[in-house]
Structure formats: C-alpha cells, structure tokens
C-alpha cells in the first residue's frame, strides 16, 4: 500500500514536471516569436522612411537638419547588430521621427497633399504596430519570468538551467510619446 | 476601489466560467426531467442501471445541442453579411484603408492568434458586432456611421473590443447558449401537453437558463471592455466611444434581435439597459453604458467633465475657419464687384491675372501681384489637384481629374464642373458630413427640387417621354441613362449600367445638401407652401 502511494506521488511529480517544462518551452518560443514580430514591423518602418523623406524634402528646405537626423538614425537602425544596439538605435529613430512630425505641423501645404497624408497614415499605423508588438513582447516576457520565478518552478528551472531570462524592450520616456494629439494620453496602467 | 484591466478580466473570466458551468448543469438536469416524463423513473432498476441510463441521456442531450449548434453557427458570418448588406473594405477609400490598417494593428496586438476580417455595414447608424462560425471565419462588422465619425484611436478601441469577443470565444459560447436554451420552448410546449405534471418544473428551468444567459452576456461586455484596454492601453478612447454611442442612433430596426448580444451597445434602446439592480441584471443583454464608462474612466484617472471637454474640443476643431479674406474686383465695365472669397473670384469667367483687385483698403493691385490669388490662378491654368485620369468627361471631352472627396475617390471635370462617381460609393459620400454648404448651394438645391417636382408632375400627367441627349459612359463607352437620384430627391443624374454616375456642376453637393437638410417629404412641402402662397408646391 505504501509502495503504491509513493509510486503515485512519483508519477504525479513527473507529470507536473513534464507539464511545466512544456509550458516553459512554449512560452520561450512565443517570446522569441514576438521579438521577430517587432522586427517585421521595424523593417516596415525602415522601408517607409525613404518615401516620406523624398516627398517632404522639396517643401521643407529649411529643415534639412531634422531630415538628416531621420536619415542617419534610419541608417544606424538598419545596420545595428546586437540586441541592445538595436533597441537604442530604434529609440533614436522614434525620437527623430517624432520631431519631424512635429515640424511638419508648421507646413499647412503638406497637409493638403494626398500623398503625404497617405504616408503619414501608414507611418502612424506602423508606429502603433511597433508599439503593440513591443507591448505583446513585454507582456510575454513578464509571463515567462513569472513562470520561472514562482515556487516551486524556480527550483525546477535551476535544476535544468536551460531557460535564460529575456530582457524587456524598454523605451525612454520621451520616445514613448507618439507624436499625435490624441494618443498623448496613454497611461501605462 | 479602482480595478486594473487585468483584475477585471480575471475576475469576470471566473464569473463567466462559473455561470457557464451552471448553465450546462441546468441543461442536463432539464434533459433528465424530460426523460423522466417520457420514459418514467430511470432509477427504477437500481442505482447502477440508473446511472448508465443517465449517461445515455446526457450523451443524447449533448448530441442534440451540438447538432443545433452546428446548424446555427455553420454559416453565421455569411448570414450576417447578407442580412445587413455588409461589404468588404474598399481599397480605394482612405477611411477604409485606415480601418484595414487598424485591423492589422489589432492583429499585431493579439499576437496574430486568429485571422479576422472586417466588413462595413452601409448605414449611418453607430454600432459594431462580431461573429465567428464553424468554418473558422471570424468577422467584425462595423457601420459606416461609426467609421466616419470616430477618430483613429476610437475606432481602434471598438475593433479591439470586438476582437476580444472573438478571441475569448464569447461569440461561440453565446451561440452555444442560444442553441442550448433558445430553440426548445415551442417544441417543448407541444410535447408537454401530454405530460402535464413536470411541465412547470422544466418550464422554470428553461426560463432560468435564459435569464442566466443574459447575466453572462452582461459580464462578457465588461470583460471585453477590459480586454480592449489590455490591447490598446487607451481606456479614454473606449470611454469616449461609449459616450458618443449613448447619444446617437444605434441601428434600431436594422440589426435584428438575435444578433443584439453580439453588438458593442444594444441596438434596441431599452430602459432596462440603463438601469441597475436585480431585474435589470436578469433581463437585459448589455450592462448600463454609464457603468461601463465609469469603469473605463477610473482606469484613465479621468472624469466625465474631461470627456465632455474633449468632445467639445474635437467638435470645434472640425468647424471650417471663417477668417477668409475677401476681395473686390474691377469688371469689364469698370465697376467694382464683390466682395468675393478667393474661390469665388477664381470662378468668375472674366477674372484674369490682369484684373484690378482690392482687399477693401485704399490700394488696388493686379491680381497676379497677390500671392494667394496667384496660386489659385495657377491651379486654374494647370488644374492638377490630383492625377489626370484615363477617363474623358462625357460632356466636354476633357480628361477627368482623379481626386479624393470626403475621402472617397471621385472624378471631377475641371472645365464643366461635373463629377463622375461610382454608384455604390454614393451612400458613403452622403453619410459622411465633412463639408458644410453655402447659402448659394442651399438655395440652388431648393429651387432645383421645386423645379424638378413640377417638371416631373407635368411629364407624368402628359405621359410623354422626353428623350434627353444621352451621354457616353467614360468607363465602358455605353450610353448612359438619365434618371432622377430618387423620386424624393429629384436630382437629375446620368447612370450607366456599369455603375458610373455623372453629376452636372454642383448637383452632387446639391444632392448632399438636400439629404442632410431633409429638404423633401411632407414637412418640407408644408413649409414651402407657407412661404410661397402664390403657387402651391405640387405634391407627389
């Protein structure tokens, strides 16, 4: 009888172990996948910027400085290698773009241009998508970390040691603001 | 205590899950009651045999519900599309393009878990609904009125709310609940006549099931609100939408009663919906908007006052600016005419760069000296507001210009002022109210309407068909037919079988003006007759 109970206990622990392991693995993959999703959206932004610059260039002759900053930031972001570099470069780009949008407000003739309105809509959408992708990534990382750190999972993780902690995609406070009147109130909750 | 959206989501999920289990238990219990009535006591031959019997009955009941569920939800998205006349997004329409982008953003926010399509219901009502069917199609339908009147963030909040209904399985669960308890009343009443004794009990059970359903439906709305905030992190936008919806027409009579549980706000305006308490909780499918808004505002740390202020701010922002400069111009007979706005000046046939103009002060200059006028003159020479299209104007044979008007692609002619519009895009132009109308257009619309009414009556009484010169369709080269837009709004248009519709100069704005100001119908005729005693307006 005692043997039976011990056997049942061992079976239970093994089943729990398998379930936890699989859950951790699937979470890890989800985290990696969501990081790739950010990449896809960033690529989209990189592709859109040259179009915007070429359309805006003629009208905004006096703002060469702002435009150049955007172009440089884009070049840096495209060529960034390591993850931390990438995060920094993208934050720079977001800032530069935000400034460009703010300056564009001073040129009413840009607003009547159908092409620019289209591009701006596309860029707004892309900014939102990047924001959402990042939000999803951070949510998943938080889930993954919680799953690793709660008792008794932490012992299990230390025993196997195949799960590394993912880093959050952090943005500077300034960069968090999307350059648009309506979205400025976006509490972090 | 202010809840965060995560708390609300978790709490409501528990509640919904619990209620749903109770609902299922009730269903099987009523199945047992029915079986007792039909087959007599199933536990008559001992407990074990009775338990087996009960299991058979459960399996049978589950199969019964499943078949009904299958039939009900197999084609539900197609049915909804057909019933409401919803169409896919138009890739040439700027607002629809924005909607498509928003859908893509929501897909990103939810981690691309589920493919959802979006359709637009051509109605000025403000509502949205979600559905998914057995084949795995998920549909979010949103009315044109909502698309046109909400800002980008607000539309995103609505889409997120509907997307949450789909992702969390709310749509499927509510269809299942309907198939569990919705079908059976007439069917049962027929059978129960023969077994009267337990009729009352099962009747009460089914009614209770219905009430529980309503309760779950309300909890789901709260949860979807919280879920939408989790996706967009913008509770204020959703609060604004609810606030706006509570003040507008939600589509009563348009959206039938079996779909109302799927909408963002109940299309049926119901007193119960806006009240709280035991009875309201039992009988209505949507929670009070006031309470939903309050929860959302709590998340945003804002109050109703701020909401109202923001609404006013956006309302004043969209008003056209009235500070346009006016000019006087010297005509061919050396008389001063005016004052004219720049656009009016440009429309004068005798106005040229050499015309003497004055802005009301002492100085007079040639028109070409004033930068603003020079710009308009330039556009008159080379009217390139938009691309030159491949279609010729049916009246004056000049190429039509491709332009966006109220965010929809149209083809105006810069020489005769006419416009080519696709017939299926007309309702959208009419619904969107971005432009305001000058007194001139209003008067013109009024006169045209009266004139055409007279002409129409005369023609009908004489019963002769006047043969108008038929224009050639710019798109398919067939001849177009001259008709009225409708027999209420008598604006003459030329229609082609391919959908191309030609408006002469100002006729499109006149039509819009008529419909927006409700210039036809009994009331209008009555008023006109009072103003115009000499000749009573003819009635239809």
């Amino acid at each position: 009888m005692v043997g039976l109970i011990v056997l049942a206990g061992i079976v239970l622990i093994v089943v729990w172990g398998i379930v936890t392991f699989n859950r951790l693995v699937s979470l890890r993959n989800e985290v990696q996948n969501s990081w790739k999703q950010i990449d896809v959206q960033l690529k989209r932004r990189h592709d859109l910027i040259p179009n915007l610059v070429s359309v805006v260039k003629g009208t905004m002759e006096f703002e060469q400085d702002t435009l150049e900053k955007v172009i440089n930031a884009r070049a840096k972001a495209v060529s960034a290698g390591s993850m931390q570099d990438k995060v920094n470069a993208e934050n720079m780009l977001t800032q530069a773009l935000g400034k460009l949008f703010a300056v564009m407000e001073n040129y009413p003739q840009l607003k009547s241009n159908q092409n620019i309105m289209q591009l701006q809509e596309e860029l707004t959408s892309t900014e939102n998508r990047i924001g959402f992708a990042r939000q999803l990534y951070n949510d998943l990382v938080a889930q993954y970390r919680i799953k690793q750190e709660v008792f008794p999972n932490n012992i299990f993780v230390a025993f196997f040691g195949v799960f590394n902690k993912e880093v959050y995609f952090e943005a500077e406070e300034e960069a968090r603001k999307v350059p648009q009147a309506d979205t400025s109130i976006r509490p972090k909750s | 205590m202010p809840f965060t959206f995560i708390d609300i989501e978790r709490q409501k999920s528990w509640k919904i899950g619990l209620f749903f289990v109770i609902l299922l238990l009730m269903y099987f219990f009523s199945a047992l009651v029915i079986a007792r009535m039909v087959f007599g006591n199933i536990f008559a031959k001992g407990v074990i045999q009775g338990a087996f019997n009960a299991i058979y009955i459960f399996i049978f009941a589950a199969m019964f519900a499943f078949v009904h569920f299958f039939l009900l939800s197999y084609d539900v998205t197609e049915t909804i599309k057909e019933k409401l006349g919803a169409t896919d997004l138009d890739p040439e329409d700027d607002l629809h393009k924005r909607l498509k982008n928003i859908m893509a953003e929501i897909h990103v926010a939810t981690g691309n878990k589920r493919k959802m399509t979006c359709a637009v219901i051509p109605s000025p009502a403000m509502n949205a609904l979600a559905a998914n069917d057995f084949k795995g199609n998920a549909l979010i339908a949103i009315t044109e009125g909502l698309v046109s009147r909400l800002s980008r963030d607000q539309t995103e909040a609505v889409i997120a709310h509907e997307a949450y209904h789909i992702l969390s399985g709310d749509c499927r669960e509510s269809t299942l609940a309907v198939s569990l308890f919705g079908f059976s009343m007439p069917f049962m009443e027929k059978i129960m006549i023969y077994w009267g004794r337990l009729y009352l009990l099962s009747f009460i059970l089914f009614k209770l099931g219905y009430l529980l359903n309503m309760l779950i439906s309300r909890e789901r709305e709260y949860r979807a609100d919280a879920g939408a905030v989790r996706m967009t992190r913008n509770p204020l936008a959703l609060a604004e939408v609810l606030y706006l919806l509570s003040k507008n027409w939600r589509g009563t009579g348009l959206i039938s009663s079996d779909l109302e549980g799927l909408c963002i706000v109940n299309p049926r305006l119901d007193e119960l919906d806006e009240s709280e308490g035991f009875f309201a909780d039992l009988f209505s499918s949507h929670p009070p908007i006031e309470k939903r808004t309050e929860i959302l505002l709590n998340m945003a740390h804002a109050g109703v006052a701020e909401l109202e202020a923001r609404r006013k701010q956006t309302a004043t922002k969209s008003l056209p600016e009235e500070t346009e400069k006016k000019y006087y111009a010297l005509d061919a007979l050396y008389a001063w005419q005016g004052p004219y706005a720049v656009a009016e000046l440009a429309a004068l046939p005798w106005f040229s760069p050499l015309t003497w103009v004055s802005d009301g002060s002492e100085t007079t200059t040639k028109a070409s000296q004033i930068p603003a006028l020079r710009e308009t003159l330039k556009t008159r020479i080379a009217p390139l507001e938009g691309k030159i299209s491949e279609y010729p104007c049916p009246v004056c044979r000049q190429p039509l210009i491709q332009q966006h008007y109220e965010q929809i692609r149209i083809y105006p002619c810069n020489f005769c002022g006419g416009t080519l519009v696709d017939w299926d895009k007309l309702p959208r132009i009419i619904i969107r109210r971005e432009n305001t109308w000058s007194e001139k257009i209003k008067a013109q619309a009024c006169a045209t309407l009266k004139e055409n009414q007279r002409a129409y009556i005369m023609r009908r009484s004489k019963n002769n068909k006047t043969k108008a010169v038929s224009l050639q369709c710019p798109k398919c080269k067939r001849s177009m037919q001259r008709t009225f837009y409708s027999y209420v709004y008598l604006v003459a248009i030329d229609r082609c079988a391919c959908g191309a519709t030609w408006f002469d100069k100002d006729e499109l704005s006149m039509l819009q003006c008529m419909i927006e100001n409700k210039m036809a119908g009994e009331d209008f005729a009555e008023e006109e007759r009072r103003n115009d005693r000499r000749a009573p307006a003819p009635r239809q």
Side-chain angles (χ1 to χ4, degrees):
Chain A
M1 191 63 192
V2 177
L4 259 179
I5 290 171
V6 171
L7 194 70
I10 289 170
V11 166
L12 264 181
I13 288 172
V14 167
V15 166
W16 170 81
I18 290 170
V19 168
T20 316
F21 187 82
N22 286 349
R23 182 77 196 117
L24 278 169
V25 168
S26 69
L27 258 177
R28 186 176 61 187
N29 282 321
E30 270 182 53
V31 167
Q32 279 163 1
N33 178 45
S34 65
W35 175 255
K36 290 283 178 300
Q37 288 301 317
I38 301 180
D39 263 2
V40 171
Q41 301 307 335
L42 289 176
K43 173 92 183 9
R44 196 182 132 92
R45 175 158 81 167
H46 297 161
D47 293 346
L48 277 171
I49 287 170
N51 288 341
L52 180 75
V53 169
S54 69
V55 173
V56 169
K57 221 181 215 165
T59 325
M60 298 174 66
E61 284 164 18
F62 310 105
E63 311 285 352
Q64 284 304 333
D65 189 36
T66 321
L67 279 177
E68 229 144 71
K69 259 186 202 157
V70 172
I71 296 168
N72 289 342
R74 177 191 175 264
K76 233 182 240 167
V78 170
S79 61
S82 77
M83 191 154 148
Q84 200 52 48
D85 278 359
K86 214 171 194 169
V87 172
N88 289 339
E90 288 300 338
N91 283 341
M92 286 263 290
L93 182 56
T94 308
Q95 256 175 344
L97 265 181
K99 203 166 171 206
L100 178 66
F101 279 135
V103 171
M104 270 166 73
E105 293 285 310
N106 301 334
Y107 292 80
Q109 64 266 42
L110 286 180
K111 281 208 161 169
S112 59
N113 187 331
Q114 197 65 41
N115 258 337
I116 294 192
M117 291 311 279
Q118 280 294 330
L119 265 173
Q120 199 160 11
E121 158 63 25
E122 289 298 316
L123 264 171
T124 312
S125 179
T126 311
E127 291 289 337
N128 281 355
R129 285 183 214 184
I130 293 170
F132 285 147
R134 207 152 66 179
Q135 176 182 306
L136 184 76
Y137 173 77
N138 281 349
D139 285 356
L140 282 173
V141 169
Q143 263 187 45
Y144 184 46
R145 283 189 167 193
I146 290 170
K147 199 80 192 170
Q148 282 181 38
E149 286 168 21
V150 291
F151 182 80
N153 291 9
N154 52 355
I155 302 168
F156 183 78
V157 168
F159 184 68
F160 276 95
V162 286
F163 300 103
N164 51 337
K165 280 185 184 162
E166 302 280 345
V167 290
Y168 288 104
F169 194 128
E170 284 176 58
E172 293 153 50
E173 270 310 304
E174 263 177 287
R176 284 191 77 87
K177 286 181 195 158
V178 179
Q180 232 195 4
D182 290 18
T183 43
S184 60
I185 302 173
R186 183 167 283 188
K188 281 201 286 176
S189 59
Chain B
M1 194 184 90
F3 281 110
T4 64
F5 52 87
I6 295 173
D7 292 335
I8 293 179
E9 213 184 321
R10 195 178 297 142
Q11 189 194 11
K12 297 292 177 193
S13 291
W14 266 104
K15 233 176 179 176
I16 291 168
L18 186 70
F19 285 145
F20 202 73
V21 169
I22 295 176
L23 199 70
L24 282 179
L25 286 179
M26 270 171 69
Y27 176 72
F28 286 115
F29 187 64
S30 13
L32 271 187
V33 171
I34 294 174
R36 169 81 172 77
M37 278 181 281
V38 180
F39 302 113
N41 191 358
I42 53 168
F43 292 103
K45 288 176 187 166
V47 179
I48 295 174
Q49 184 61 38
F52 270 110
N53 282 346
I55 287 168
Y56 291 145
I57 287 162
F58 286 164
I59 290 170
F60 180 73
M63 269 168 61
F64 198 74
F66 184 77
V67 168
H68 191 251
F69 173 56
F70 182 78
L71 291 177
L72 203 65
S73 70
Y74 182 66
D75 237 0
V76 75
T77 54
E78 285 301 315
T79 321
I80 284 177
K81 262 182 148 177
E82 221 167 84
K83 244 185 190 171
L84 302 175
T87 49
D88 292 332
L89 299 181
D90 178 358
E92 283 177 8
D93 187 323
D94 286 354
L95 271 184
H96 287 193
K97 246 188 237 171
R98 192 176 81 177
L99 191 58
K100 201 171 160 230
N101 275 340
I102 289 173
M103 283 300 291
E105 285 162 32
I106 291 298
H107 273 124
V108 171
T110 55
N112 280 320
K113 283 223 178 67
R114 181 95 200 252
K115 178 107 185 70
M116 291 172 277
T117 52
C118 190
V120 178
I121 307 167
S123 152
M126 296 178 79
N127 220 324
L129 58 90
N132 55 1
D133 64 18
F134 221 79
K135 290 185 276 188
N137 297 329
L139 174 81
I140 295 175
I142 178 166
T143 61
E144 190 69 57
L146 208 60
V147 178
S148 306
R149 275 172 234 170
L150 295 189
S151 75
R152 206 195 147 84
D153 284 5
Q154 290 167 345
T155 318
E156 194 146 67
V158 171
I159 297 286
H161 176 102
E162 298 303 337
Y164 189 85
H165 273 317
I166 290 173
L167 290 171
S168 65
D170 284 355
C171 297
R172 183 163 296 151
E173 272 175 30
S174 61
T175 332
L176 181 65
V178 167
S179 34
L180 287 183
F181 286 97
F183 73 97
S184 43
M185 282 331 288
F187 168 74
M188 267 181 56
E189 268 165 22
K190 263 182 202 156
I191 299 178
M192 293 311 142
I193 305 244
Y194 301 103
W195 294 281
R197 278 176 56 205
L198 287 167
Y199 172 62
L200 197 65
L201 179 61
S202 54
F203 179 82
I204 290 170
L205 271 176
F206 272 89
K207 276 289 164 208
L208 273 179
Y210 171 76
L211 297 182
L212 200 61
N213 237 330
M214 290 285 138
L215 195 71
I216 296 179
S217 171
R218 288 170 78 104
E219 296 296 326
R220 275 198 196 112
E221 291 300 322
Y222 285 125
R223 187 171 67 161
D225 281 350
V229 173
R230 180 167 59 81
M231 286 181 216
T232 62
R233 306 283 149 103
N234 195 347
L236 206 57
L238 191 56
E240 276 172 349
V241 173
L242 291 177
Y243 189 69
L244 215 66
L245 259 56
S246 70
K247 287 173 176 285
N248 277 291
W249 183 53
R250 304 146 176 205
T252 326
L254 171 81
I255 294 162
S256 58
S257 59
D258 48 335
L259 300 176
E260 67 189 29
L262 307 172
C263 293
I264 184 164
V265 290
N266 198 344
R268 215 161 29 116
L269 248 187
D270 201 336
E271 230 177 279
L272 277 175
D273 263 348
E274 287 317 307
S275 50
E276 272 184 71
F278 182 66
F279 273 104
D281 271 351
L282 287 182
F283 289 109
S284 81
S285 59
H286 283 67
I289 288 182
E290 200 188 325
K291 203 170 170 197
R292 282 166 77 182
T293 316
E294 199 187 308
I295 293 174
L296 289 167
L297 283 176
N298 249 335
M299 288 183 204
H301 305 290
V304 181
E306 189 173 337
L307 214 59
E308 186 67 29
R310 276 171 70 96
R311 195 174 68 92
K312 277 203 185 118
Q313 196 189 341
T314 46
T316 48
K317 210 199 283 173
S318 61
L319 279 180
E321 288 172 21
E322 276 295 328
T323 54
E324 210 184 326
K325 210 169 176 184
K326 304 252 173 160
Y327 293 96
Y328 296 88
L330 199 64
D331 71 0
L333 300 169
Y334 293 101
W336 284 103
Q337 306 284 344
Y340 297 113
V342 174
E344 288 169 330
L345 209 55
L348 294 173
W350 46 268
F351 181 70
S352 78
L354 298 176
T355 312
W356 289 96
V357 291
S358 162
D359 56 355
S361 61
E362 291 294 304
T363 55
T364 49
T365 45
K366 283 189 175 150
S368 53
Q369 306 280 316
I370 299 171
L373 291 180
R374 203 165 52 219
E375 285 304 310
T376 23
L377 280 166
K378 253 191 217 162
T379 57
R380 209 163 67 155
I381 297 163
L384 273 179
E385 185 75 13
K387 274 183 275 178
I388 290 180
S389 73
E390 60 202 293
Y391 308 126
C393 168
V395 179
C396 53
R397 297 276 134 211
Q398 297 294 335
L400 294 173
I401 311 297
Q402 183 179 312
Q403 231 182 43
H404 279 238
Y405 174 69
E406 308 233 17
Q407 319 229 34
I408 290 157
R409 183 180 292 179
I410 60 167
Y411 300 95
C413 171
N414 274 21
F415 287 84
C416 63
T419 313
L420 186 74
V421 186
D422 285 337
W423 180 252
D424 53 336
K425 288 175 188 156
L426 258 182
R428 268 185 252 152
I429 293 184
I430 289 166
I431 290 168
R432 292 180 192 172
R433 298 188 172 171
E434 292 177 3
N435 291 4
T436 47
W437 313 115
S438 62
E439 286 303 317
K440 189 182 148 206
I441 292 282
K442 268 184 200 162
Q444 213 176 340
C446 200
T448 314
L449 195 61
K450 268 197 271 182
E451 177 58 36
N452 280 345
Q453 269 172 351
R454 251 169 232 150
Y456 176 61
I457 299 278
M458 294 281 275
R459 210 173 69 198
R460 216 169 48 171
S461 61
K462 282 183 191 163
N463 199 18
N464 63 341
K465 281 179 183 159
T466 45
K467 186 102 173 127
V469 193
S470 70
L471 301 174
Q472 193 187 32
C473 172
K475 281 194 173 166
C476 63
K477 309 292 179 221
R478 281 178 288 185
S479 62
M480 301 170 100
Q481 202 187 359
R482 171 149 293 189
T483 59
F484 289 120
Y485 172 71
S486 76
Y487 286 118
V488 178
Y489 298 109
L490 291 158
V491 172
I493 55 170
D494 293 286
R495 254 188 90 175
C496 175
C498 72
T501 309
W502 177 259
F503 286 86
D504 281 338
K505 185 167 192 269
D506 289 340
E507 278 180 351
L508 181 59
S509 13
M510 268 154 49
L511 176 64
Q512 283 180 275
C513 178
M514 278 178 201
I515 295 180
E516 282 179 24
N517 294 321
K518 302 204 175 56
M519 281 196 181
E522 290 297 306
D523 293 346
F524 180 70
E526 203 56 49
E527 196 178 306
E528 281 301 305
R529 223 169 297 138
R530 237 179 288 125
N531 295 342
D532 192 19
R533 286 281 174 204
R534 286 166 295 135
R539 295 174 66 153
Q540 292 186 45

